[in-house]
Amino acid sequence: MSAPTGGPAQAAPAPRRSRPRIRVRTRTVTVLAGCLILLAAALVAGVRTLRQEPTVTLLANWTGTDEQDFRDAVLKPFERRHHIHVDYQGSSAESEVLGADVEAGTPPDVVVLTGPGELAAYARQGQLKQVDDLLPRSGFGASWTTPLDGHVYWFPFKADLKSLVWYPAGTSAQQLAAAATRPGQWCLGMGSGATSGWPGTDWIEDILLQRSGPDVYQRWARGELPWQSREVKEAWTTWGRMVGAGGDPALVRRALKTPYQDASEPVTRTPRGCTLEHQASFIRNQDAWKRVDGRYVPSARLIPGARADDAWLVSGDLVALLHDTSPARTLIRYLASADAQRAWSTREFSFSVSPEAQPAPGAGGTAWHHALATTLLDDRAVHCFDGSDAMPPSVRDAFAEATIEYLAHPDHLDALLKNLDSLRQTHGLTWLQSVCDRTS
């Protein structure tokens, strides 16, 4: 700021003897002004402190555009309504972040994770708080809120259906059947940073479910059925034949080096680089499937030997409570509410399994989206949670790594399954006793 026009430079000269007093008076005024400014700042800070809203910390996996959408559609309405500030941290490595925070004694108040197996381990350690009394009366299905020691410790905020194969609009049934027998026609990308390999675990889980049924699948997912059993081993070899494990080096290399979110890109080329993708419902929002107007078929129609009747692999983003504070409990109730779940599913074009959160009849949306939403809520169908997500973290991670090894070296399968059985028998692991909402 420029000097004031009425400053000393324009004042009349003063006698020499009066100058010291003028300087002293100027310094006094300056000091006084500074004190008044500091006092005002202190008063403002004090008022802000008195009016400060309570805060709740939240860790989830939404980053970038997804994070902004989550803030706009879910968090901002919560903050306005309840006058509680949400200190949000988004990370694609949320499991690692949470583990470090728990070890340091500074975990978030609320967390959103994809793995009930990981949450079960935290619950057994006493890190999670019960949420039984915070959920709506309509509740969620048994495969989504699996009780542990008689209490519920998590609930789904977002759901996905996984027993799906996507294909471009205009592909005939005969073309689908033919493509399913050609490994090069499957769009497959195994890359996902620290969690690489999970697209392979989805494949093997779904094949086991569709070929052997929910009873066998649930025994395996809760650690009772050996990895070296006939049913599990055949699920691996069936996947290997379908996608060409150990076959064409260029094909295997493409699958191993491609990030899962880029796997469908070749479907837009001319001629197409691939036609089919075994992937969860969220993949339909990828640009490639939008451009080719992606459609889906239940995976059971293309998996050799499938015999399960209306059985579906599912997954979800699960909310859990680590600090039992009033702001955190308020956020839990809100995230479990129909309003919050509907807002998020509408913004993300995803799914909620809250019966109260479904859009009204005649609401906007595509036919495929409505059909999948109906399947997720169909109480005549069997919904089984993603097996690797339900397993103890050490087994989950080894499973994902083994799919990568098997894809390149299928002759290593016996050793891989033996190693997974050794891990399964490790003392002290927490296994969920139910991953399917019902079995036959």
Side-chain angles (χ1 to χ4, degrees), residues 81-92:
R81 183 184 308 174
H82 297 282
H83 305 289
I84 296 173
H85 173 66
V86 180
D87 184 3
Y88 175 80
Q89 180 181 6
S91 173
S92 57

Side-chain angles (χ1 to χ4, degrees), residues 243-410:
V243 300
D248 181 351
L251 188 62
V252 172
R253 191 180 307 113
R254 183 182 76 180
L256 293 176
K257 289 189 174 183
T258 301
Y260 78 91
Q261 62 268 33
D262 297 336
S264 54
E265 191 276 331
V267 82
T268 64
R269 297 175 187 166
T270 304
R272 288 196 176 107
C274 60
T275 304
L276 311 174
E277 184 173 16
H278 178 276
Q279 189 53 275
S281 47
F282 70 81
I283 208 67
R284 180 56 176 78
N285 293 323
Q286 290 291 111
D287 287 341
W289 286 117
K290 289 179 181 178
R291 291 201 296 272
V292 298
D293 190 17
R295 309 297 174 88
Y296 76 90
V297 62
S299 60
R301 297 185 189 175
L302 297 178
I303 292 174
R307 61 179 181 83
D309 183 20
D310 208 11
W312 299 87
L313 198 66
V314 298
S315 64
D317 293 326
L318 307 175
V319 182
L321 176 66
L322 289 93
H323 288 140
D324 194 2
T325 66
S326 179
R329 290 172 67 86
T330 302
L331 180 60
I332 289 288
R333 286 194 185 95
Y334 172 75
L335 293 177
S337 71
D339 286 347
Q341 300 226 346
R342 190 183 300 112
W344 186 228
S345 61
T346 300
R347 175 63 68 94
E348 284 290 289
F349 215 45
S350 58
F351 305 92
S352 167
V353 286
S354 167
E356 299 176 351
Q358 303 312 306
T366 63
W368 67 263
H369 190 269
H370 286 302
L372 291 180
T374 300
T375 300
L376 277 165
L377 287 172
D378 186 357
D379 57 10
R380 296 167 299 178
V382 181
H383 304 98
C384 294
F385 209 91
D386 181 299
S388 57
D389 284 346
M391 293 175 182
S394 59
V395 182
R396 173 200 64 195
D397 296 344
F399 183 15
E401 292 172 4
T403 63
I404 295 173
E405 177 75 11
Y406 173 72
L407 193 57
H409 305 286

